[in-house]
Amino acid sequence: MPVARPESQDPRVIAHVDMDCFYVQVEQRRNPDLRGVPTAVVQYNSWKGGGLIAVGYEARNFGVKRSMRGDEAKRVCPDIQLVQVPVARGKADLNLYRSAGSEVVAILSTKGKCERASIDEVYLDLTDAAKSMLLESPPAMLDSIPEEALKSHVLGLSSGENKGEDDVRKWLCQPDADYQDKLLACGTIIVAELRVRVLQETKFTCSAGIAHNKMLAKLASPMHKPAQQTVVPATSVPDLLASLPVKKMKQLGGKLGTSLQDDLGVNTVGDLLKFSEQKLQDLYGTNTGTWLWKIARGINGDEVEDRLLPKSHGCGKTFPGPMALKTTSSVKQWLNQLCEELSERIQSDLDQNKRIAQTLTLHARAFKEDELDPLKKFPSKSCPLRYGTSKIQEDAMHLFESGLSDFLNSKNLGWGITSLAVGASKIVDIPNGTTSILKYLTEKRTSCNPSDCSDALPGEPDHATSLISQKDADTKSYKECKVPFESEVEENPKTKASRESASDSKGLFDRDANVKGTILRYFSGGCSSNQRSTSEVETNQLEEEEEEKISSSTANITSSHPNLNLNQNKNALSENWIYNIEEIDPSVVDELPLEIQREIRGWIHPSKRINTAKRGSTIAHYFSPARK
Ligand code: DCP
Ligand code: CA
Ligand code: CA
């Protein structure tokens, strides 16, 4: 849900930098023969030549589009080179592109706060760098202004379009500009220099938008692609928004934008100026109403987060057309593959960045032989995440079964799965040091009690928000962590004993000098007893205790609670495992199969129809039902 944050009165300089045809550039760097040649990157499956996921600019000149499949692209551009994404475990392996993105981020993050917003884009807050430049070496004092800065497109300059480098030079150096524009001029030079460095050091080109807030910077970055930058002085904002189709705004691409068009006759963002804030609030609710009122004026107070690492991890695979999965065993086989990759990625995140993911989510697209309910979607499901490949696989399969049961309304119908994805989210930093890791795990287990969780009882849509947020993770106690089933089911005696002795076991851990290796081995998933050597007996005891503590976060409810039969479990799962869309990292969405991307983007742009309910009625009326 869009939320309007107050925009600071202090002038800011924000840039949005997006790589040009990113996967294609990565492939062109690997194989220089592809440079200058029409090229596209296609997904791994061969159905109709594979889906295009990145199209180079030479190929775009022939009319090739990302929505095409390989066969169609060949018809439009017979000379096109189609490069398959690397494959691992029978699915796309995006590590190559992720690490190429990291190379770029390492350069872009040198000048100010940097937020990695997707696999190929970042936001930069360059306010401090621009202020320093204005004090120490303002553009008018520079011996020469970088060529790349002079090629900038400055909106509103010379009646809408850039006349040339001389005009840009004058704009960059104008002595009577207001402070905001002077800072923006410095930002323009800083971004140009960064982009040149990116090209020199990585061989990749990128485009950028430079403005005084995130929204305007993001709008500007694709305006002149590839390898160019666009600047948005404050005075150009009304014209920019007056001609901007609502659907081009990130949050208006979905049903909210459609409602604005169909119900209000609003075609451009500027058309929203006709409506008072009160009117928009009456129609769309307080938050969305205020947010719409502000975006019509180009106001956006979102901060650039200081975050170079992704907020979540996800991996998925599509099974188009005849490849649809129609048995639980085939689903299990693929889920196992996906979970193996996910497990490796969260494990390396833990090893390298000391971060723990707390929520496991399963998304799927499906069809069924039920003409009465043809539009029903496969519900996404989530649960607390347990480390270890086999545990993740087991939990993901439970989530799938729970989702399938909901999807089929417990009827015995034929079904097929056309895409599957698993995600790990709610990632928090763990403090450095072994005892801290243990403290984290121990407290996480022991301090959850039913009264702490009372705001997240079954059926309440915002249960997931009771989990600690990443930002708060360092400051809040772990007490708030959610264990959804503890208040409802009898606890496994073994788990209970383990929980009650947690403080004792912490003492035990503290005495064990070798404990770090033990714990990390636990996380690496090598803890299933049949894989252990006899020489590990002593540490296994510790591992099992730790395992109990984490498994008591209830994802393996089937095995932890022998009193419950599977059907009861399924009901419990479907009632309680609710996914919070705020946890979805846009960068992960880009990496998921297209069908799933569409569905998730539908949630991120929630369904908003004009509200016909009276003002003051429950806020739930403004929003689509909880996304399960
Ligand atoms: N990507 C993907 N599936 C999508 C969209 C994108 O796999 N549906 C991948 C391939 C892209 C990369 O993410 O290269 C970045 O996506 P962008 O939307 O930024 O598109 P490009 O970088 O390819 O092109 P542009 O120059 O228009 O930004
Ligand atoms: Ca891009
Ligand atoms: Ca992008």
Side-chain angles (χ1 to χ4, degrees), residues 337-354:
Q337 302 277 328
L338 296 173
C339 291
E340 203 176 302
E341 181 187 330
L342 188 71
S343 180
E344 270 175 23
R345 283 173 51 199
I346 59 175
Q347 182 61 45
S348 90
D349 201 354
L350 174 68
D351 293 343
Q352 289 168 17
N353 310 314
K354 303 278 174 284

Side-chain angles (χ1 to χ4, degrees), residues 86 88-89 92-101 119 341 344-345:
R89 298 189 187 90
D93 177 4
L94 304 181
N95 281 331
L96 180 68
Y97 309 120
R98 275 190 207 104
S99 53
I119 198 162
E341 181 187 330
E344 270 175 23
R345 283 173 51 199

Side-chain angles (χ1 to χ4, degrees), residues 16 29 38 62 68 72 161 179 235 258 321 374 382 451 460 468 495 534 568 573:
H16 179 261
R29 187 174 72 169
F62 287 86
M68 293 177 177
E72 198 182 350
E161 257 312 310
Y179 184 55
T235 47
T258 306
S382 68
S451 61
E460 284 201 18
I468 50 174
T495 310
T534 46
Q568 281 171 318
L573 298 179

Side-chain angles (χ1 to χ4, degrees), residues 48-309:
K48 293 188 183 172
L52 268 53
I53 54 175
V55 181
Y57 281 81
E58 294 86 356
R60 292 184 204 195
N61 290 339
F62 287 86
V64 178
K65 298 201 164 57
R66 182 145 68 192
S67 53
M68 293 177 177
R69 299 197 73 87
D71 291 351
E72 198 182 350
K74 283 254 177 214
R75 274 198 298 278
V76 177
C77 174
D79 293 334
I80 194 168
Q81 297 293 311
L82 298 176
V83 184
Q84 291 262 323
V85 289
V87 173
R89 298 189 187 90
K91 63 172 289 297
D93 177 4
L94 304 181
N95 281 331
L96 180 68
Y97 309 120
R98 275 190 207 104
S99 53
S102 301
E103 287 176 47
V104 176
V105 171
I107 297 165
L108 294 176
S109 59
T110 53
K111 291 286 178 184
K113 219 196 275 181
C114 175
E115 174 183 331
R116 192 165 184 177
S118 90
I119 198 162
D120 81 328
E121 61 198 79
V122 301
Y123 288 99
L124 305 175
D125 187 335
L126 301 170
T127 311
D128 290 344
K131 282 180 178 168
S132 306
M133 183 174 175
L134 192 58
L135 275 176
E136 290 156 22
S137 49
M141 308 279 284
L142 293 176
D143 291 341
S144 69
I145 293 186
E147 191 65 24
E148 198 54 40
L150 294 175
K151 287 200 239 148
S152 302
H153 300 261
V154 183
L155 298 185
L157 192 64
S158 308
S159 63
E161 257 312 310
N162 222 344
K163 274 199 179 147
E165 296 185 6
D166 283 346
D167 284 343
V168 176
R169 188 191 308 275
K170 275 187 211 145
W171 182 81
L172 289 170
C173 302
Q174 56 184 330
D176 51 353
D178 64 19
Y179 184 55
Q180 170 74 67
D181 272 4
K182 283 186 175 167
L183 285 183
L184 217 49
C186 295
T188 303
I189 293 173
I190 295 166
V191 173
E193 287 172 344
L194 281 171
R195 290 181 40 248
V196 169
R197 264 189 69 198
V198 167
L199 182 59
Q200 285 169 345
E201 293 176 31
T202 68
K203 300 195 167 60
F204 298 141
T205 66
C206 56
S207 300
I210 304 136
H212 61 268
N213 66 40
K214 279 172 96 172
M215 171 190 125
L216 295 168
K218 167 95 180 169
L219 280 176
S221 69
M223 279 183 178
H224 297 95
K225 260 183 168 283
Q228 296 168 77
Q229 60 183 48
T230 306
V231 190
V232 190
T235 47
S236 71
V237 174
D239 281 351
L240 167 65
L241 298 179
S243 58
L244 183 75
V246 281
K247 290 273 182 175
K248 291 258 174 185
M249 278 285 305
K250 196 172 141 209
Q251 296 91 336
L252 298 179
K255 292 179 183 166
L256 178 55
T258 306
S259 169
L260 290 174
Q261 287 175 326
D262 297 350
D263 301 327
L264 298 187
V266 164
N267 292 314
T268 70
V269 175
D271 289 347
L272 281 167
L273 288 170
K274 288 186 279 205
F275 299 91
S276 68
E277 185 174 6
Q278 181 70 60
K279 180 74 183 166
L280 292 169
Q281 287 185 342
D282 286 348
L283 295 169
Y284 292 103
T286 313
N287 276 333
T288 305
T290 298
W291 180 80
L292 287 169
W293 187 86
K294 288 192 166 175
I295 59 152
R297 289 153 184 80
I299 302 170
N300 172 246
D302 292 350
E303 295 276 336
V304 174
E305 290 174 34
D306 205 353
R307 182 168 60 75
L308 305 185
L309 298 169

Side-chain angles (χ1 to χ4, degrees), residues 249-481:
M249 278 285 305
K250 196 172 141 209
Q251 296 91 336
L252 298 179
K255 292 179 183 166
L256 178 55
T258 306
S259 169
L260 290 174
Q261 287 175 326
D262 297 350
D263 301 327
L264 298 187
V266 164
N267 292 314
T268 70
V269 175
D271 289 347
L272 281 167
L273 288 170
K274 288 186 279 205
F275 299 91
S276 68
E277 185 174 6
Q278 181 70 60
K279 180 74 183 166
L280 292 169
Q281 287 185 342
D282 286 348
L283 295 169
Y284 292 103
T286 313
N287 276 333
T288 305
T290 298
W291 180 80
L292 287 169
W293 187 86
K294 288 192 166 175
I295 59 152
R297 289 153 184 80
I299 302 170
N300 172 246
D302 292 350
E303 295 276 336
V304 174
E305 290 174 34
D306 205 353
R307 182 168 60 75
L308 305 185
L309 298 169
K311 264 201 287 201
S312 51
H313 299 284
C315 46
K317 180 170 170 69
T318 47
F319 308 94
M323 292 154 81
L325 307 177
K326 295 188 173 161
T327 60
T328 32
S329 65
S330 60
V331 168
K332 186 170 184 177
Q333 183 204 327
W334 280 110
L335 262 188
N336 283 349
Q337 302 277 328
L338 296 173
C339 291
E340 203 176 302
E341 181 187 330
L342 188 71
S343 180
E344 270 175 23
R345 283 173 51 199
I346 59 175
Q347 182 61 45
S348 90
D349 201 354
L350 174 68
D351 293 343
Q352 289 168 17
N353 310 314
K354 303 278 174 284
R355 303 198 308 162
I356 284 190
Q358 301 188 120
T359 302
L360 174 70
T361 308
L362 176 119
H363 308 282
R365 297 277 294 171
F367 60 84
K368 60 180 169 177
E369 294 163 354
D370 184 0
E371 280 151 17
L372 296 175
D373 193 10
L375 297 177
K376 178 158 181 170
K377 291 187 173 156
F378 194 102
S380 292
K381 295 278 176 179
S382 68
C383 69
L385 190 149
R386 301 183 301 148
Y387 275 69
T389 305
S390 57
K391 293 185 178 67
I392 294 173
Q393 289 168 334
E394 186 186 325
D395 294 344
M397 198 58 202
H398 283 148
L399 294 177
F400 173 76
E401 284 163 354
S402 165
L404 185 65
S405 163
D406 285 4
F407 179 64
L408 300 178
N409 290 328
S410 306
K411 289 188 211 156
N412 194 11
L413 302 166
W415 50 270
I417 297 291
T418 54
S419 63
L420 269 179
V422 284
S425 61
K426 250 335 179 205
I427 300 180
V428 295
D429 291 332
I430 49 173
N432 286 332
T434 303
T435 48
S436 300
I437 294 173
L438 294 173
K439 187 162 179 282
Y440 171 84
L441 294 171
T442 309
E443 288 192 6
K444 187 176 166 160
R445 173 64 193 97
T446 56
S447 57
C448 291
N449 64 51
S451 61
D452 288 331
C453 301
S454 60
D455 62 337
L457 288 172
E460 284 201 18
D462 60 349
H463 128 176
T465 58
S466 70
L467 287 162
I468 50 174
S469 75
Q470 186 177 0
K471 251 192 204 153
D472 293 340
D474 291 336
T475 48
K476 279 192 187 170
S477 85
Y478 292 105
K479 214 168 148 186
E480 290 173 53
C481 92

